[in-house]
Short mmCIF file of all heavy atoms in Angstrom, two decimals:
data_model
loop_
_atom_site.label_atom_id
_atom_site.label_comp_id
_atom_site.label_asym_id
_atom_site.label_seq_id
_atom_site.Cartn_x
_atom_site.Cartn_y
_atom_site.Cartn_z
N ASP A 235 23.03 11.03 -46.59
CA ASP A 235 21.98 11.88 -46.01
C ASP A 235 21.43 12.73 -47.14
O ASP A 235 22.13 13.56 -47.70
CB ASP A 235 22.58 12.76 -44.90
CG ASP A 235 21.51 13.57 -44.17
OD1 ASP A 235 20.35 13.60 -44.62
OD2 ASP A 235 21.85 14.17 -43.14
N ASP A 246 14.01 13.76 -45.88
CA ASP A 246 15.32 13.89 -45.24
C ASP A 246 15.57 12.59 -44.48
O ASP A 246 14.91 12.33 -43.48
CB ASP A 246 15.31 15.09 -44.28
CG ASP A 246 16.67 15.35 -43.66
OD1 ASP A 246 17.65 14.67 -44.04
OD2 ASP A 246 16.75 16.23 -42.79
N HIS A 310 15.00 18.09 -36.18
CA HIS A 310 14.39 19.34 -36.63
C HIS A 310 13.06 19.04 -37.27
O HIS A 310 12.87 17.95 -37.85
CB HIS A 310 15.31 20.03 -37.65
CG HIS A 310 15.67 19.13 -38.80
ND1 HIS A 310 14.84 18.94 -39.89
CD2 HIS A 310 16.75 18.32 -39.01
CE1 HIS A 310 15.40 18.07 -40.71
NE2 HIS A 310 16.56 17.67 -40.21
N HIS A 317 14.21 22.29 -42.76
CA HIS A 317 14.57 22.60 -41.37
C HIS A 317 13.60 23.67 -40.86
O HIS A 317 13.59 24.78 -41.39
CB HIS A 317 16.00 23.15 -41.25
CG HIS A 317 17.06 22.11 -41.35
ND1 HIS A 317 18.39 22.39 -41.19
CD2 HIS A 317 17.00 20.78 -41.59
CE1 HIS A 317 19.11 21.28 -41.32
NE2 HIS A 317 18.28 20.28 -41.59
N SER A 337 12.69 15.17 -37.65
CA SER A 337 13.68 14.10 -37.78
C SER A 337 14.14 13.65 -36.41
O SER A 337 14.13 14.42 -35.45
CB SER A 337 14.89 14.60 -38.59
OG SER A 337 15.59 15.59 -37.86
N GLU A 339 17.71 12.04 -35.54
CA GLU A 339 18.93 11.75 -36.29
C GLU A 339 20.21 11.90 -35.45
O GLU A 339 21.05 12.75 -35.73
CB GLU A 339 19.03 12.65 -37.52
CG GLU A 339 18.87 14.14 -37.27
CD GLU A 339 19.13 14.96 -38.54
OE1 GLU A 339 20.17 14.75 -39.18
OE2 GLU A 339 18.27 15.79 -38.88
N GLU A 353 18.87 8.52 -39.58
CA GLU A 353 17.83 9.54 -39.51
C GLU A 353 16.54 9.07 -40.16
O GLU A 353 16.54 8.61 -41.30
CB GLU A 353 18.30 10.80 -40.25
CG GLU A 353 17.23 11.85 -40.43
CD GLU A 353 17.73 13.10 -41.14
OE1 GLU A 353 18.69 13.00 -41.92
OE2 GLU A 353 17.15 14.17 -40.91
ZN1 ZN B 402 17.75 16.16 -40.99
#
Side-chain angles (χ1 to χ4, degrees):
D235 185 350
D246 184 6
H310 54 82
H317 283 184
S337 67
E339 52 174 309
E353 171 179 27

